[in-house]
């Protein structure tokens, strides 16, 4: 495509005429050679097939040196293409040999030998040119008269006009003969780019300085270059020079590229990617990377750019211990949670946290299957995988018999399964409860003995009771207030969003209950019975019931308020929200809801005014914009200080933000209003 003289002048310098670039008129390719040589260009390109090296039958012409020169191929006075002229220097290699038969040397086109010691040499020279996305091969026929044939000496050169290339591109050139007697020559050259485009740093900002004259109009685009698939546009504007574009350092990633072109018909677009080796860009890339769970056994790593990384599945015990590798490891096709790059841990996420709740003190049993239906079980522990049954002194070994019984009775949850083995999670709660029961029994005996002593010393009884009362109060405060979270299961994406909110609230002094984490208990008891039990326990402990409203929840509430019943089959079998309406509504109708219930909804999904008026008799908060007020209502009557409350709200907001981004802006769709540079929202 023709390039305006404006763009070539920018690339070649302020005064390109000083460079005295030769202009070629017309689109035809041509060739010429040194005096005394004759040369001819084949009419069309050929296939780029070098072939194998074959022995030379005698003296032959061989390329010895490649030389390039930039010229201009102009179709009009001001519309030219940058073109690469290539000169191939030739020399005579090999020695004369007495011909064994006439047919071998006397006129063979490929040997170039006519008569021994008194013949001209002929050669077919191939020029191969590559400049992404262009690849061409041309064939030049050269003949050297016998008078110029001197062994080991240069005989001249043949020049080809010319290969077109874009500004800033990297060109690669090869040359060899056909047939090929020697290794091909090669040359790599970087064509002039855009010296008028400068990238500079200013504190936390990066400036793109475009030193273009005021009368020049050009387009500028920022995009993420992708190894697979089309580029992802980030920002685009038509500008008039000069310009300074400001980028925040957090917007830099290695694949962020700049594309610029003159606002002329059929103009060539020039690309530059200046941040490929920038350390800040690589740090930002990993900060933006996210692991997303698609199903229980498939995952997706979201990142702006392609990432060279290694992933592995690991397990982690409660308490912040390091993530331990699975021994033996599971198949690579399954969910991975560790991502390493350049032997450094870059990303670690628990992909099941939103669906299974916070980390539990469960035991992971790894089942390995061998030939003839042989199988073995071991329990994952920090010290390794303990075989079951075992006489070792570890916790899993001591409880090995009970764990195997739980596995056989179906009380363990299967996390993964294939032909080689399976992974199970077996709860440890009941064994912990047994230990606590023994401890409480000992405490009661100690309390009884202490009471007898206090009866003997009445003067000190009031002091002991006062201390005991303070201990009970402090213990209740440490446990946190109970919160029951009710929602309508509109879709799987909303369920993941609810799970993220519940997980974030668990980081505060709150004890959160949600049906998403209790599917086994709900299936055994039924949704209505499960909700009644949870509601009664929550309110008896002075807790709060949170009604999380969504479009589906509003529709269901309106349906109950109108008809008093809900259409059967409208919701799933585990929807506790539907089951809860039968006893939630009486609390609101009889005025018992204030102080026991709060409402919430997500910004951009539902406005608080859309909640039915009956349920707005209690506070309804919009999240995350009203998180401080929402957390204050949940933690009443012992709400923390305002500064502490704001800090907790920011903590919950950070934990909730990835789930909100995933729900409202699925991967592959750019967030509205988010761009780089001035006027990002106005780009096209």
């Amino acid at each position: 495509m023709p390039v305006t003289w404006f763009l070539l002048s920018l690339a070649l310098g302020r005064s390109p005429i000083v460079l005295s670039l030769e202009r070629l008129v017309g689109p035809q390719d041509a060739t010429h050679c040194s005096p005394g040589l004759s040369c001819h260009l084949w009419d069309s390109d050929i296939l780029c097939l070098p072939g194998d090296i074959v022995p030379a039958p005698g003296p032959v012409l061989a390329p010895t040196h490649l030389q390039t020169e930039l010229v201009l191929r102009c179709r009009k006075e001001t519309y030219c293409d940058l073109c690469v002229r290539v000169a191939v220097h030739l020399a005579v290699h090999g020695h004369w040999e007495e011909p064994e038969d006439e047919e071998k040397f006397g006129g063979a086109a490929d040997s170039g030998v006519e008569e021994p010691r008194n013949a001209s040499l002929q050669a077919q020279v191939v020029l191969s040119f590559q400049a992404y996305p262009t690849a061409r091969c041309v064939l030049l026929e050269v003949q050297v008269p016998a008078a110029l044939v001197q062994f080991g000496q240069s005989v001249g050169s043949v020049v080809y006009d010319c290969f077109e290339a874009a500004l800033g591109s990297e060109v690669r050139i090869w040359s060899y003969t056909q047939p090929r007697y020697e290794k091909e020559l090669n040359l790599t050259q970087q064509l002039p780019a855009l010296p008028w485009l400068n990238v500079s740093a200013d504190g936390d900002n990066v400036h793109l300085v475009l030193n273009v004259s005021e009368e020049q109009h050009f387009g500028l685009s920022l995009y993420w270059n992708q190894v697979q698939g089309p580029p992802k546009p980030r920002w685009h504007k038509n500008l008039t020079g000069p310009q300074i574009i400001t980028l925040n350092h957090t917007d830099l990633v290695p694949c962020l590229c700049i594309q610029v072109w003159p606002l002329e018909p059929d103009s060539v677009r020039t690309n530059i990617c200046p941040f490929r080796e920038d350390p800040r860009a690589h740090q930002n890339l990993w900060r933006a990377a996210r692991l997303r769970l698609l199903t229980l056994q498939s995952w997706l790593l979201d990142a702006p750019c392609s990432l060279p990384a290694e992933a592995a599945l690991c397990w982690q015990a409660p308490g912040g211990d390091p993530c331990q590798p699975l021994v033996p490891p599971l198949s690579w096709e399954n969910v991975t949670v560790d991502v390493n790059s350049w032997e450094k841990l870059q990303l670690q996420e628990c992909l099941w946290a939103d669906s299974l709740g916070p980390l539990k003190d469960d035991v992971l049993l790894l089942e390995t299957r061998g030939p003839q239906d042989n199988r073995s079980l071991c329990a994952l522990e920090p010290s390794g995988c303990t075989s079951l049954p075992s006489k070792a002194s570890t916790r899993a070994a001591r409880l090995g018999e009970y764990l195997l019984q739980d596995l056989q009775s179906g009380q363990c949850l299967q996390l993964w399964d294939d032909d080689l083995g399976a992974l199970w999670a077996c709860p440890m709660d009941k064994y912990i409860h047994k230990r606590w029961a023994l401890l409480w029994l000992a405490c009661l005996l100690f309390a009884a003995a202490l009471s007898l002593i206090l009866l003997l010393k009445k003067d000190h009884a009031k002091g002991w009771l006062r201390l005991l009362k303070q201990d009970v109060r402090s213990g209740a405060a440490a446990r946190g207030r109970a919160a029951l979270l009710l929602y309508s299961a509109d879709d799987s994406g909303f369920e993941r969003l609810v799970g993220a909110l519940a997980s974030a609230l668990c980081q505060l002094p709150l004890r959160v209950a949600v049906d998403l984490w209790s599917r086994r208990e709900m299936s055994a008891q039924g949704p209505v019975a499960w909700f009644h039990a949870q509601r009664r326990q929550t309110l008896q402990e002075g807790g709060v019931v949170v009604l999380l409203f969504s479009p589906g929840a509003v529709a269901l509430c309106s349906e109950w308020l109108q008809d008093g019943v809900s259409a059967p089959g409208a919701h799933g079998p585990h929807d506790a929200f539907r089951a809860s309406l039968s006893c939630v509504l009486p609390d609101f109708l009889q005025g018992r809801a204030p102080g026991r219930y709060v409402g919430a909804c997500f910004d951009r999904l539902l406005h608080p005014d859309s909640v039915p008026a009956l349920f707005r008799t209690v506070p309804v908060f919009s999240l995350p914009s009203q998180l401080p007020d929402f957390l204050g209502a949940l933690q009443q009557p012992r709400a923390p200080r305002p500064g502490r409350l704001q800090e907790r709200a920011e903590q919950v907001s950070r934990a909730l933000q990835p789930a909100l981004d995933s729900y409202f802006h699925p991967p592959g769709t750019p967030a509205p209003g988010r761009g780089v540079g001035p006027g990002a929202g106005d780009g096209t």
Side-chain angles (χ1 to χ4, degrees):
M1 290 182 291
V3 185
T4 59
W5 181 253
F6 147 71
L7 193 56
L8 285 175
S9 65
L10 290 175
L12 302 177
R14 286 294 183 187
S15 301
I17 300 177
V18 175
L19 299 177
S20 301
L21 293 184
E22 181 180 346
R23 294 193 178 199
L24 306 178
V25 180
Q28 294 81 14
D29 295 341
T31 184
H32 57 275
C33 44
S34 301
L37 306 183
S38 61
C39 52
H40 171 70
L41 173 66
W42 275 39
D43 294 336
S44 59
D45 290 0
I46 64 172
L47 294 177
C48 302
L49 300 174
D52 297 328
I53 297 178
V54 299
V60 294
L61 290 176
T64 59
H65 179 63
L66 290 175
Q67 188 175 358
T68 61
E69 178 185 2
L70 294 181
V71 296
L72 299 177
R73 170 172 284 170
C74 301
R75 290 155 174 80
K76 295 181 181 180
E77 181 66 22
T78 58
Y79 281 83
C80 301
D81 281 324
L82 191 64
C83 214
V84 181
R85 171 183 286 167
V86 183
V88 185
H89 296 267
L90 303 171
V92 178
H93 290 179
H95 301 280
W96 290 111
E97 294 180 0
E98 294 297 333
E100 297 181 1
D101 56 58
E102 194 95 29
E103 198 173 306
K104 183 174 180 181
F105 293 99
D110 57 352
S111 67
V113 183
E114 295 181 356
E115 293 182 4
R117 304 181 182 276
N118 189 23
S120 62
L121 290 181
Q122 294 181 350
Q124 292 183 337
V125 180
V126 177
L127 278 178
S128 176
F129 178 87
Q130 289 186 6
Y132 182 83
T134 304
R136 293 184 58 196
C137 278
V138 297
L139 183 64
L140 312 175
E141 290 187 338
V142 184
Q143 184 170 357
V144 180
L148 297 180
V149 175
Q150 298 181 7
F151 304 127
Q153 298 296 318
S154 174
V155 296
S157 61
V158 58
V159 178
Y160 171 74
D161 285 329
C162 55
F163 294 110
E164 296 180 5
L167 288 170
S169 62
E170 182 183 77
V171 300
R172 297 182 179 182
I173 305 171
W174 292 266
S175 179
Y176 52 88
T177 59
Q178 202 175 54
R180 188 159 66 99
Y181 301 118
E182 298 179 358
K183 185 178 179 180
E184 66 270 18
L185 293 179
N186 66 82
L187 174 68
T188 301
Q189 181 177 359
Q190 185 72 42
L191 297 188
L194 300 174
W196 48 274
L197 176 60
N198 183 39
V199 180
S200 62
D202 180 15
D204 289 340
N205 295 325
V206 175
H207 296 317
L208 303 180
V209 182
L210 294 96
N211 191 13
V212 181
S213 59
E214 295 182 1
E215 66 274 10
Q216 299 298 343
H217 303 278
F218 60 94
L220 182 70
S221 175
L222 302 182
Y223 64 94
W224 287 344
N225 191 30
Q226 304 295 304
V227 175
Q228 296 180 348
K232 295 182 179 179
R234 305 297 299 165
W235 183 73
H236 166 216
K237 242 189 178 183
N238 296 332
L239 303 170
T240 301
Q243 290 284 340
I244 297 179
I245 310 299
T246 301
L247 307 178
N248 193 288
H249 73 98
T250 58
D251 294 320
L252 304 184
V253 290
C255 62
L256 180 63
C257 298
I258 306 165
Q259 186 180 78
V260 63
W261 65 98
L263 296 180
E264 302 287 350
D266 299 328
S267 58
V268 174
R269 300 193 175 202
T270 301
N271 301 273
I272 180 175
C273 302
F275 308 110
R276 289 175 178 170
E277 306 299 330
D278 193 320
R280 295 174 302 174
H282 285 276
Q283 293 175 2
N284 293 337
L285 177 60
W286 281 110
R287 290 193 188 104
R290 291 290 182 270
L291 277 173
R292 187 162 62 89
L293 188 64
L294 301 179
T295 65
L296 283 180
Q297 294 186 351
S298 63
W299 58 278
L300 176 66
L301 177 61
D302 285 332
C305 312
S306 298
L307 287 172
E310 179 182 352
L313 186 67
C314 66
W315 68 280
Q316 186 175 21
D321 294 334
C323 206
Q324 304 287 336
L326 290 180
V327 181
L330 301 181
S331 303
W332 285 96
E333 292 81 5
N334 296 286
V335 178
T336 64
V337 295
D338 269 5
V339 179
N340 298 271
S341 180
W342 297 289
E343 300 181 355
K344 178 182 178 183
L345 180 63
Q346 300 283 4
L347 183 64
Q348 178 178 306
E349 291 188 18
C350 184
L351 300 181
W352 298 281
D354 293 343
S355 58
L356 299 181
L359 288 174
K360 300 177 182 178
D361 195 17
D362 292 351
V363 173
L364 292 178
L365 298 185
L366 184 61
E367 177 184 348
T368 305
R369 296 166 185 161
Q372 300 178 355
D373 294 333
N374 292 331
R375 72 171 190 168
S376 60
L377 286 167
C378 65
L380 291 172
E381 297 186 281
S383 59
C385 204
T386 304
S387 299
L388 296 181
S390 173
K391 296 182 179 180
S393 59
T394 64
R395 182 183 69 162
R398 290 192 295 268
L399 300 176
E401 181 180 350
Y402 301 106
L403 293 173
L404 294 177
Q405 291 176 359
D406 289 347
L407 180 63
Q408 294 174 358
S409 61
Q411 298 185 39
C412 298
L413 177 65
Q414 188 176 62
L415 302 178
W416 167 82
D417 184 34
D418 68 6
D419 295 337
L420 300 179
L423 186 65
W424 304 82
C426 297
M428 295 290 293
D429 296 344
K430 58 183 178 181
Y431 305 116
I432 296 176
H433 291 163
K434 288 181 180 179
R435 292 188 178 185
W436 277 109
L438 294 175
L439 182 60
W440 274 111
L441 181 60
C443 291
L444 290 175
L445 292 175
F446 176 76
L450 185 62
S451 298
L452 291 175
I453 296 175
L454 292 176
L455 288 175
L456 300 176
K457 296 183 178 181
K458 294 183 179 180
D459 294 340
H460 301 284
K462 292 183 178 180
W464 282 104
L465 290 175
R466 190 181 302 112
L467 293 176
L468 182 61
K469 185 176 182 180
Q470 292 177 355
D471 291 341
V472 170
R473 287 181 176 177
S474 61
R479 288 194 308 150
R481 194 183 190 192
L484 174 60
L485 189 60
L486 298 179
Y487 68 99
S488 174
D490 291 3
D491 52 56
S492 59
F494 187 72
E495 281 192 314
R496 287 193 292 269
L497 188 56
V498 173
L501 176 62
S503 298
L505 294 178
C506 284
Q507 300 175 16
L508 308 178
L510 288 172
R511 293 177 290 116
V512 180
V514 61
D515 68 328
L516 191 63
W517 299 343
S518 305
R519 290 289 166 81
R520 278 190 296 187
E521 293 86 345
M522 183 178 295
S523 298
Q525 301 176 18
V528 176
W530 180 87
F531 167 73
H532 279 285
Q534 293 293 328
R535 172 185 168 277
R536 181 174 60 255
Q537 179 180 351
T538 300
L539 297 181
Q540 285 177 352
E541 295 178 358
V544 61
V545 179
V546 180
L547 302 179
L548 189 57
F549 288 99
S550 64
V554 170
L556 187 57
C557 291
S558 301
E559 182 180 339
W560 271 81
L561 291 173
Q562 292 174 4
D563 302 332
V565 295
S566 177
H571 293 258
H574 302 304
D575 195 342
F577 190 86
R578 179 191 181 201
S580 67
L581 288 180
S582 60
C583 62
V584 166
L585 284 175
D587 285 344
F588 280 86
L589 293 172
Q590 297 173 17
R592 298 195 303 265
R596 309 168 80 185
Y597 290 81
V598 296
C601 58
F602 289 108
D603 298 340
R604 293 180 290 171
L605 182 63
L606 187 74
H607 195 275
D609 292 341
S610 300
V611 176
L614 176 65
F615 295 96
R616 280 187 272 125
T617 56
V618 300
V620 179
F621 303 98
S622 185
L623 307 180
S625 60
Q626 295 180 328
L627 260 175
D629 296 334
F630 176 66
L631 297 182
L634 292 186
Q635 297 181 265
Q636 289 289 351
R638 301 183 183 90
R641 299 186 305 273
R644 180 60 174 164
L645 190 62
Q646 182 64 33
E647 180 182 344
R648 291 178 178 176
E650 293 175 356
Q651 177 184 354
V652 173
S653 179
R654 286 193 300 270
L656 189 60
Q657 195 59 47
L660 289 170
D661 293 341
S662 177
Y663 183 77
F664 290 108
H665 308 295
T669 61
R674 248 193 112 210
V676 291
D682 300 332
T684 56

